Amino acid sequence: MPWRYSWSAQRPTFLRKWRITFTRAAPASLATCFGRDAADLGTHFVDEEEEEEAPETFVQQLVPPVQLLVIGDGPDSGALQRFSETLGWSAVQLENAAELSGSYDEWTAAIVKTHNYGRDCAVLRALLPLGLRYIGLLGPRRRRDQLLGDVLDSGVEGAGNVFGPAGLDLGGDSPEAIALSIVAEIQAVFAGGSHRPLRERRAPIHAVPQDVALAC
């Protein structure tokens, strides 16, 4: 059996594990036992899948919040910050590549918008080797191609996750509309969305667990 932390029996330990999950960007599984005959009622963390899932146990996957690096300033920076806060993300405002000194992992996204060709090049040289799932680049395609060409010519590899021009085609050119289109694209990338309208989706909007589907 995997080790577990019971909310009812070990509340301080449960909260400590919860903090670790979100501060160290470590996904975890949270199980809640609610049946009368369950051996361990309450909520606990598990570090691996149960070999035999109890029928009266609800298991939920917890993923860390996205850390959004906003590199450069502009009219849309405030809106990016507000949207990030609404989604529970952690937005970090940076000015240039020299400030990229934090801990970045698969739950980190970056927006490059210094509006200066040389600074954008320096930022991309620092970001591309990190293997981030999303690097958004503001500006037209021609500028993106020139930037990536110069960065790759310098020996840096890994341009596959550069999204430029950043954002989905939602219409509108206000700072709020631009920020919304960028945040929507990041959400789709991290959540595995199709970027398509829901009315074109043939499958259910929300995934149905296999055992529930078989019971229907």
Side-chain angles (χ1 to χ4, degrees), residues 80 110-111 134-139 141 162-171 177-186 188-189 195:
L80 284 170
I111 299 293
Y134 183 96
I135 300 175
L137 181 62
L138 266 63
R141 291 183 178 85
V162 173
F163 293 75
L168 302 180
D169 184 10
L170 302 181
I178 294 172
L180 177 62
S181 72
I182 294 172
V183 169
E185 184 174 54
I186 296 173
V189 168
H195 302 73

Side-chain angles (χ1 to χ4, degrees), residues 8-21:
S8 57
Q10 302 182 42
R11 183 176 302 180
T13 308
F14 181 94
L15 294 176
R16 185 163 56 252
K17 177 64 176 177
W18 183 284
R19 178 180 59 81
I20 292 173
T21 298

Side-chain angles (χ1 to χ4, degrees), residues 13-204:
T13 308
F14 181 94
L15 294 176
R16 185 163 56 252
K17 177 64 176 177
W18 183 284
R19 178 180 59 81
I20 292 173
T21 298
F22 288 95
T23 58
R24 296 187 181 175
S29 295
L30 191 66
T32 300
C33 301
F34 53 87
R36 289 186 178 182
D37 298 329
D40 190 6
L41 290 176
T43 301
H44 57 271
F45 280 96
V46 293
D47 65 342
E48 60 186 42
E49 289 189 16
E50 305 265 359
E51 293 184 2
E52 295 183 4
E53 243 181 58
E56 296 178 317
T57 299
F58 174 75
V59 179
Q60 179 182 8
Q61 289 293 119
L62 298 180
V63 296
V66 173
Q67 177 180 212
L68 177 60
L69 306 178
V70 182
I71 308 166
D73 205 353
D76 52 0
S77 293
L80 284 170
Q81 182 76 36
R82 291 192 295 273
F83 284 131
S84 296
E85 291 175 354
T86 299
L87 291 169
W89 298 356
S90 173
V92 181
Q93 182 71 47
L94 305 173
E95 295 301 323
N96 50 57
E99 298 183 6
L100 288 168
S101 58
S103 176
Y104 311 127
D105 51 33
E106 62 175 324
W107 299 102
T108 302
I111 299 293
V112 182
K113 58 187 204 72
T114 71
H115 305 289
N116 177 280
Y117 192 89
R119 287 196 292 268
D120 280 357
C121 268
V123 171
L124 288 175
R125 290 191 187 100
L127 288 177
L128 290 182
L130 300 179
L132 303 184
R133 293 164 66 181
Y134 183 96
I135 300 175
L137 181 62
L138 266 63
R141 291 183 178 85
R142 179 178 297 179
R143 185 174 185 275
R144 173 204 63 194
D145 293 341
Q146 291 174 341
L147 279 167
L148 289 178
D150 287 341
V151 171
L152 296 177
D153 286 345
S154 69
V156 176
E157 299 180 357
N161 293 332
V162 173
F163 293 75
L168 302 180
D169 184 10
L170 302 181
D173 54 7
S174 68
E176 291 75 16
I178 294 172
L180 177 62
S181 72
I182 294 172
V183 169
E185 184 174 54
I186 296 173
Q187 171 65 27
V189 168
F190 276 79
S194 67
H195 302 73
R196 299 177 59 188
L198 288 177
R199 68 177 181 179
E200 297 180 4
R201 182 182 174 97
R202 296 181 180 273

